[in-house]
Amino acid sequence: MAIWLLPFFSVLLLVLSATWPVISSNSEGDALHALRAKLSDPNKVLQSWDPTLVNPCTWFHVTCDNNNRVIRLDLANSNISGPLGAEIGQLEHLQYLEFYRNSFEGKIPEELGNLKNLISMDLYENNFQGAIPKSLSKLKSLRFLRLNDNKLSGSIPRELYLLSNLKALDLSNNDLCGTIPSEGPFSSFPSQSFANNTRLNGPELQGLAPYDFGC
């Protein structure tokens, strides 16, 4: 190549590089940043969530495993408000979701059902509305599910009886209706798990009434 052509190619590469799309090095970081963008954070708890970093493992309130995969989110008591975005379902290695005592609102996203490794989901004492997603029945590793003290309505999804590892459940202080499932782990949950749902009619009597009776 002639030496006089080198400056031309240098300029060409510079122009092309400016038009190339920016490729993120970590999809989980992208998902968390998209989640953050929808939230109000007056105390700047999420200020360290910088999408320009290689991965989110250095961010506050984020815990990763040895392979730099996000396995825990701790945002309890953080004065955060806004919707919980569908992006949360992209954190496929997540084991602990601790978002209790905030002001999250809107529906609990169906995409939470994608978190097959989830062990604990604590969304209590927020302002979630609407139905409990049936997709939560896909969380076969789930042991702790606490959705109490929200504004949830509708019936308790019958599919949740498939959660054979579920050890603790709290759905109290919502506006749930219908009957309480009686199969699977539901047979061992105390009545306090369902307290203060004025339209909830007690344990399901199979064959005698539809599960959504009273909704």
Side-chain angles (χ1 to χ4, degrees):
M1 180 184 297
I3 295 177
W4 64 272
L5 287 176
L6 289 177
F8 169 78
F9 281 105
S10 298
V11 172
L12 180 62
L13 286 173
L14 183 63
V15 172
L16 288 175
S17 65
T19 61
W20 288 336
V22 177
I23 301 174
S24 172
S25 57
N26 189 276
S27 59
E28 292 185 326
D30 288 347
L32 287 172
H33 188 254
L35 187 71
R36 175 195 175 188
K38 301 175 182 179
L39 300 174
S40 174
D41 177 27
N43 296 343
K44 300 188 183 303
V45 173
L46 306 177
Q47 191 171 24
S48 68
W49 289 24
D50 182 354
T52 65
L53 300 179
V54 174
N55 62 60
C57 299
T58 59
W59 299 358
F60 291 144
H61 314 290
V62 176
T63 303
C64 294
D65 63 12
N66 292 333
N67 295 312
N68 292 327
R69 300 177 303 193
V70 176
I71 59 172
R72 186 178 184 115
L73 295 177
D74 289 288
L75 292 176
N77 296 297
S78 297
N79 196 28
I80 291 173
S81 61
L84 180 55
E87 296 85 4
I88 193 72
Q90 298 176 31
L91 306 175
E92 60 182 15
H93 304 287
L94 194 66
Q95 297 178 20
Y96 296 90
L97 180 61
E98 308 299 327
F99 280 9
Y100 57 88
R101 295 193 182 122
N102 284 289
S103 295
F104 284 98
E105 60 191 24
K107 294 184 177 181
I108 296 175
E110 293 276 350
E111 288 79 6
L112 283 175
N114 297 334
L115 306 180
K116 302 298 179 59
N117 295 298
L118 201 64
I119 294 172
S120 178
M121 184 190 301
D122 283 322
L123 302 180
Y124 62 87
E125 294 185 31
N126 279 286
N127 294 314
F128 287 112
Q129 301 175 344
I132 299 172
K134 294 181 180 179
S135 62
L136 300 188
S137 64
K138 297 189 293 184
L139 304 177
K140 304 305 183 184
S141 298
L142 196 65
R143 298 179 189 173
F144 306 97
L145 177 59
R146 288 175 278 247
L147 306 177
N148 52 290
D149 294 273
N150 279 287
K151 300 176 182 178
L152 299 173
S153 57
S155 58
I156 301 172
R158 284 300 166 277
E159 294 84 354
L160 295 185
Y161 85 89
L162 297 171
L163 300 176
S164 58
N165 290 313
L166 195 61
K167 305 301 180 187
L169 174 71
D170 196 342
L171 303 177
S172 63
N173 299 301
N174 281 290
D175 188 31
L176 300 174
C177 58
T179 55
I180 300 170
S182 57
E183 298 178 271
F186 282 86
S187 62
S188 62
F189 296 140
S191 59
Q192 291 90 337
S193 296
F194 312 99
N196 298 319
N197 287 281
T198 57
R199 298 192 296 147
L200 205 56
N201 293 301
E204 180 179 17
L205 300 175
Q206 294 182 357
L208 298 180
Y211 75 89
D212 57 355
F213 175 76
C215 283

